Amino acid sequence: MTDIHEQLRALLDREGASYRVIEHEPEGRTELIAQIRGNRIEQSIKSMVLQVRRKPRENIYCLANVPGDCRVDFEGVKNHFKADSVAFAQRDKAQELTGCVIGAIPPFSCSDQLVLLADPLIQENDEVVFNAGRLDRSIMMKLSDYIRIARPQMVSIAQRG
């Protein structure tokens, strides 16, 4: 796989983002990595690849980004795309589209086949943190830089609790 971590850092540097890299033991589960990094779980951005079926043979994929204390609201994604169904993408397809192993996917789309969505709840924090293409590296950055550089579609796709 390509080194998404290095590509992401190069993008952030090129765009003049304010960020820092956090090195830690390998972990991809949001609850555990927040404890390891020492951040509030709601500061974390959880990124999941979803398969959206609009018609029997028309699939699109999206990268759904929600706060770490939330889960993806499949109905919200379904309504946004006026889709027939929404499900997690197959593991191999998610890894192919992102260039990352599950748990290391950053909230940026590096593929024109991957629509980037983020729930407005991520805007509750001035800084956000996420695994950055590797299970042993995270990036903490200003929310304003994330939104400016990633340019996600803001859609209500998160459920708390």
Side-chain angles (χ1 to χ4, degrees), residues 43-115:
Q43 279 184 291
S44 302
I45 297 180
K46 211 169 13 178
S47 304
M48 290 146 290
V49 179
L50 306 179
Q51 178 180 349
V52 180
R53 180 162 289 143
R54 294 173 87 170
K55 296 177 185 168
R57 293 207 168 132
E58 182 188 348
N59 290 319
I60 59 173
Y61 293 89
C62 73
L63 184 61
N65 296 292
V66 299
D69 63 334
C70 296
R71 63 183 187 276
V72 173
D73 175 10
F74 287 100
E75 281 301 309
V77 176
K78 187 175 164 183
N79 292 338
H80 175 70
F81 287 107
K82 298 174 180 50
D84 292 337
S85 66
V86 175
F88 290 111
Q90 294 291 324
R91 179 177 289 270
D92 59 339
K93 185 66 175 182
Q95 292 180 171
E96 172 192 325
L97 290 169
T98 63
C100 300
V101 298
I102 302 302
I105 299 170
F108 290 80
S109 176
C110 297
S111 169
D112 57 2
Q113 298 175 31
L114 201 54
V115 179

Side-chain angles (χ1 to χ4, degrees), residues 11-19 141 145-146 148-149:
L11 170 66
L12 297 178
D13 289 343
R14 225 177 16 255
E15 295 293 330
S18 176
Y19 73 95
M141 67 185 299
D145 282 340
Y146 167 70
R148 175 178 60 84
I149 297 166

